Amino acid sequence: MGIGPAFGGGSGDGSYDLDAPSAAERPAPSRRRRHRTALYAATGVVVIAGAVALVANLVPGTGDGGQHGPAGAAGATVSATAPVSGTAATRTASPSASASASASASPSPSSSASAPASRESKAASGRPAPAAGPALTVATTPYFWDSPCDHAFLVDRSPQNVLPPPPQQDAVGWATAYGAVSANRQTVRLTVQGTGEETVVLEDLHVRVVSSSPALDWNQYVMGNGCGGGVDTASFDVALDLGTPLAMPVAGQRDFPYKVTESDPEVFHVKAHTSGHDVSWYLELEWSSGERHGTLRIDDHGKPFRTSASKDASYYAYPLGSHAWEYVEGT
């Protein structure tokens, strides 16, 4: 955060040059000379006092359980810049120095010394540059999977009326067209990045449940069949059946806080699961950067994430080389 113009020098940088008598005007000390000297001394005191007041005003005040069938993570990559809500300390410069100095000083500095050139003064002041706009962005992948077998959807349609499973990047459109709901488990991938050089501290991640009702009695469609076992890369596990779900670190991941900048993002996998409910939920990310702080809501592009347990372990699969969904009896 820039401190504004420095004092001392020409009038172009907001300082004051006091008039001084030339060598040719140096008469012997007299009562008139002493009167002029006193006047300059008084004027200097006023200017210094005004400078101190300006500087003072520029300093600111104050995870996996409950699974039926082979369903697993979630998928379709859709990156979006999330809105950020927060607060910032107001930093405005004081107007020019005291008007009593204007008669013998150069023109007063501009009162709009509000630090857009703070990048240059950052090094001199030792304070972070002021952030304009959002402090961070989040790219959200509501349906993420490491392999197609890791995810299934519940769809209230017969297999004759459901198209083949989509690739992960098209999962959002496929699920939206059918009103599909993630079955049993859902992995949400978050890529969090700062918008500038300033460090943004990610203080905590909270799970907020909008509604919880009995599990859906819909058909389960698996996005892949005959897949091998994948590596569990989820960072945080969320048990949606708990009264107050928590995002718990798993697989050796440390808990919050984390730090991000524009050049140093973080990627989080949030794996939610339920064994008996239809749950609508979203996330809240607490952040801070200097004197700014806020809470960012993370959801499925404006609506809550939704995960439901399946009615049983049976499901429909679409084997490679097949041209139709095939029913697989649950065990």
Side-chain angles (χ1 to χ4, degrees):
M1 319 283 177
I3 290 188
F7 289 89
S11 61
D13 61 354
S15 63
Y16 296 87
D17 292 328
L18 297 180
D19 294 333
S22 64
E25 294 179 334
R26 294 179 180 172
S30 66
R31 171 179 272 169
R32 184 173 183 178
R33 170 67 178 273
R34 287 194 299 270
H35 176 73
R36 180 185 302 173
T37 302
L39 173 60
Y40 286 135
T43 306
V45 170
V46 173
V47 173
I48 294 173
V52 172
L54 178 59
V55 174
N57 278 283
L58 286 173
V59 176
T62 31
D64 176 298
Q67 176 185 358
H68 296 303
T77 304
V78 175
S79 297
T81 300
V84 176
S85 62
T87 60
T90 303
R91 302 186 176 190
T92 57
S94 170
S96 59
S98 173
S100 61
S102 61
S104 60
S106 51
S108 61
S110 171
S111 61
S112 58
S114 57
S118 56
R119 295 278 180 186
E120 299 167 353
S121 58
K122 174 180 176 182
S125 66
R127 306 183 66 86
L136 71 163
T137 62
V138 178
T140 304
T141 305
Y143 309 119
F144 177 83
W145 58 66
D146 289 313
S147 69
C149 294
D150 288 342
H151 190 74
F153 285 103
L154 298 179
V155 181
D156 192 21
R157 294 193 184 190
S158 63
Q160 294 80 12
N161 296 306
V162 177
L163 291 173
Q168 184 173 158
Q169 62 268 25
D170 297 333
V172 168
W174 190 95
T176 301
Y178 293 118
V181 175
S182 292
N184 304 304
R185 295 184 293 172
Q186 177 173 359
T187 295
V188 177
R189 179 182 175 119
L190 310 175
T191 302
V192 187
Q193 185 174 19
T195 58
E197 298 177 2
E198 298 76 24
T199 297
V200 180
V201 179
L202 310 180
E203 303 284 359
D204 209 349
L205 184 67
H206 304 285
V207 183
R208 306 302 186 195
V209 173
V210 177
S211 64
S212 181
S213 55
L216 298 172
D217 188 16
W218 295 357
N219 292 326
Q220 180 178 187
Y221 295 87
V222 179
M223 296 295 98
N225 190 45
C227 302
V231 178
D232 186 0
T233 58
S235 298
F236 294 89
D237 182 87
V238 177
L240 294 175
D241 291 330
L242 297 178
T244 305
L246 300 174
M248 303 296 295
V250 296
Q253 297 295 318
R254 64 181 177 85
D255 205 352
F256 283 83
Y258 285 80
K259 296 179 181 180
V260 297
T261 62
E262 186 177 25
S263 60
D264 186 20
E266 287 282 356
V267 176
F268 302 102
H269 290 180
V270 180
K271 178 176 286 188
H273 54 87
T274 175
S275 60
H277 299 88
D278 172 17
V279 184
S280 294
W281 56 283
Y282 64 92
L283 299 167
E284 284 185 344
L285 180 62
E286 290 186 22
W287 61 271
S288 64
S289 181
E291 294 178 355
R292 306 178 69 196
H293 59 88
T295 300
L296 173 65
R297 171 170 169 149
I298 302 172
D299 55 26
D300 187 0
H301 304 90
K303 63 181 186 298
F305 303 113
R306 188 179 178 187
T307 312
S308 175
S310 58
K311 58 184 179 180
D312 53 38
S314 61
Y315 59 92
Y316 288 94
Y318 210 99
L320 292 175
S322 177
H323 299 286
W325 290 98
E326 296 182 7
Y327 183 75
V328 178
E329 188 71 40
T331 58

